[in-house]
Amino acid sequence: MYKLTLLFVVLGFAFPCYGQQDSSWTLGVQGTTSFSQVGFWRWYEGGISSLSLGVGISAQALKKSGANQQDHAIRLAFGVVRQDGIGVRKSDDLIHLRNALDFSGISIFGALNPAIVFDFRTQFADGYQYDEKDPTQDGVRISGFLSPAIWTQTVGLHYHLNPWLDFGLGIAAKETIVTVRNLRPRYKVDPDQILRWQVGSSGYIHFDRMIFTNVHLKSTLTLFLAFNQQSPDSIWETFLTMKVNSWLQVNAEYTALYDRDLSMYVQRKQSMAIGFLFNFL
């Protein structure tokens, strides 16, 4: 019951605009799907046949009330890949909700504006760690739905340098939620508790611009430093979208994650896909 209550609270933050008949809301929903297949038969250079499929949905609700602004966004992604001798495994998995309230009508020191930001991340399916020397072996379960889930709440100040570049700094609370008991030690959560709570400072840099005709670049660096930590947790996400026409586009994504509680190293993910685009709103 606690898990369901938490999920509904987060979803309630994501789309408070639904059910409201307010013409000042700007809504957008897009779906994407990508497919790739590589096959070999008596190919003298060798190779492994593979099949991959990915789907995604992104939605945004934006409302401006005078100088103030509400921005609610959700991104869902899931992908699978199948290789000869290995079977089907997931290649992408993300649930990301972000809500920002920007009080641009209130000015502090001339250029700074108060802001409140909620951010929630988790995944749909279980994740496994596989043996690099023998990837055909069954993997060890290391994650699952709401295990972990990262929920942060930030109160701070924003500085809009221009329409496509802004900065933020504030005080934040971060909850690392792990509902699967035997996975809690991996994420530094007490086995008898469902979450680990931290308080610290946070900051971000956000770039969002059409850099060329039909080429859009969006990049965000987010930092969180708990008061009992020496190095900050960070996540850098970059998305490059190249639109071929109204229904076909090329997507490139790069994500770098550093969390010393999970690993001493920077975790990286990169992908590129040609996909079909569907505009629902």
Side-chain angles (χ1 to χ4, degrees):
M1 181 61 69
Y2 181 88
K3 293 185 286 186
L4 291 175
T5 301
L6 175 62
L7 180 60
F8 284 130
V9 168
V10 174
L11 291 174
F13 275 122
F15 291 104
C17 56
Y18 283 153
Q20 298 185 28
Q21 301 300 321
D22 192 330
S23 60
S24 62
W25 283 104
T26 301
L27 304 178
V29 181
Q30 290 186 338
T32 58
T33 180
S34 60
F35 172 84
S36 66
Q37 188 269 340
V38 178
F40 298 92
W41 185 69
R42 296 181 179 178
W43 190 253
Y44 77 96
E45 293 180 348
I48 299 177
S49 298
S50 65
L51 177 69
S52 65
L53 174 67
V55 294
I57 295 177
S58 60
Q60 185 176 28
L62 182 66
K63 179 182 180 181
K64 291 186 177 182
S65 302
N68 301 324
Q69 178 174 293
Q70 299 182 42
D71 189 356
H72 309 279
I74 181 171
R75 180 170 177 253
L76 309 176
F78 192 79
V80 293
V81 60
R82 184 184 185 282
Q83 291 183 326
D84 284 351
I86 295 179
V88 178
R89 294 176 179 175
K90 72 173 184 177
S91 58
D92 194 12
D93 192 357
L94 177 67
I95 302 174
H96 183 201
L97 300 90
R98 187 178 186 275
N99 318 97
L101 309 177
D102 193 339
F103 302 96
S104 300
I106 303 174
S107 180
I108 300 176
F109 304 118
L112 302 177
N113 310 114
I116 302 173
V117 178
F118 301 93
D119 191 276
F120 179 83
R121 293 174 181 269
T122 188
Q123 61 193 43
F124 289 101
D126 292 344
Y128 295 87
Q129 186 175 54
Y130 299 96
D131 188 342
E132 294 182 358
K133 296 181 180 179
D134 187 3
T136 62
Q137 297 296 318
D138 293 337
V140 177
R141 185 189 185 193
I142 60 173
S143 62
F145 178 64
L146 295 181
S147 295
I150 308 298
W151 193 11
T152 59
Q153 310 88 45
T154 305
V155 177
L157 298 174
H158 284 190
Y159 175 61
H160 297 276
L161 183 62
N162 50 52
W164 45 268
L165 181 63
D166 60 280
F167 308 85
L169 184 66
I171 301 298
K174 176 182 177 182
E175 292 81 43
T176 301
I177 304 161
V178 183
T179 59
V180 180
R181 184 183 178 88
N182 61 358
L183 294 179
R184 291 172 185 169
R186 177 180 178 83
Y187 299 99
K188 304 298 188 295
V189 176
D190 190 299
D192 296 325
Q193 302 292 328
I194 198 171
L195 60 83
R196 175 167 60 104
W197 188 70
Q198 296 172 286
V199 178
S201 58
S202 68
Y204 80 90
I205 302 173
H206 179 67
F207 178 94
D208 189 343
R209 190 177 191 185
M210 190 74 71
I211 55 176
F212 302 108
T213 302
N214 294 331
V215 179
H216 182 257
L217 177 64
K218 182 177 181 179
S219 184
T220 304
L221 173 64
T222 305
L223 304 170
F224 173 81
L225 178 63
F227 292 142
N228 61 348
Q229 287 182 322
Q230 295 182 346
S231 58
D233 301 335
S234 62
I235 180 168
W236 178 28
E237 298 175 292
T238 299
F239 303 93
L240 182 66
T241 302
M242 294 164 281
K243 202 168 184 180
V244 179
N245 52 42
S246 61
W247 54 270
L248 184 65
Q249 65 182 22
V250 178
N251 300 312
E253 175 183 349
Y254 177 82
T255 302
L257 170 67
Y258 178 74
D259 187 336
R260 193 170 181 136
D261 290 337
L262 305 180
S263 173
M264 295 291 293
Y265 306 98
V266 177
Q267 304 172 61
R268 294 186 294 269
K269 180 182 74 172
Q270 62 185 31
S271 65
M272 177 174 287
I274 298 176
F276 297 97
L277 175 67
F278 306 95
N279 288 301
F280 299 107
L281 287 175

